[in-house]
Amino acid sequence: MTAQDELRLLPWSGPGGNPCYLSTDDRNGFMSRLADNIEAVQLGTAADLLERASETLDDQDADPEEKQRLANELTGALRDVLRVAISRGHLLTVNEPHGI
């Protein structure tokens, strides 16, 4: 198993919104691949929402309810992307060769 400081932050929350972590030496294991796939979906969703946001904000006739719904979706996507960035950033620092 990995050391305590090498836990991977997973792209989903546990009960009460608490972060979930994975402790494994197998980067190709089922849970690692599942997390990778979910992160990819989350990043793709964020990219789609960004494009939609640009279009909606450029539309002077956009419905205020649509803008509110979009803002809520963007907030969730930003939360997901931030979690992915934190997780991947941590993985990069853990895997850096020592002495650099």
Side-chain angles (χ1 to χ4, degrees):
M1 283 298 183
T2 58
Q4 182 69 15
D5 63 344
E6 295 180 23
L7 296 175
R8 177 182 179 171
L9 177 63
L10 294 172
W12 56 81
S13 297
N18 293 320
C20 291
Y21 295 92
L22 175 64
S23 175
T24 183
D25 290 331
D26 187 2
R27 290 180 155 240
N28 293 315
F30 175 78
M31 290 302 294
S32 294
R33 289 190 329 268
L34 177 63
D36 291 342
N37 289 337
I38 289 174
E39 286 178 350
V41 168
Q42 290 172 328
L43 293 173
T45 298
D48 292 344
L49 279 170
L50 181 59
E51 185 175 323
R52 193 171 114 211
S54 295
E55 293 168 1
T56 301
L57 293 174
D58 287 342
D59 181 2
Q60 298 296 324
D61 298 324
D63 181 35
E65 288 181 19
E66 180 182 351
K67 288 182 179 181
Q68 180 64 43
R69 189 171 37 255
L70 178 62
N72 290 335
E73 291 175 19
L74 284 167
T75 300
L78 182 58
R79 186 177 298 114
D80 291 342
V81 168
L82 180 59
R83 184 183 301 255
V84 171
I86 290 168
S87 177
R88 291 186 180 183
H90 178 73
L91 288 174
L92 288 174
T93 59
V94 167
N95 293 314
E96 280 183 355
H98 298 290
I100 290 183

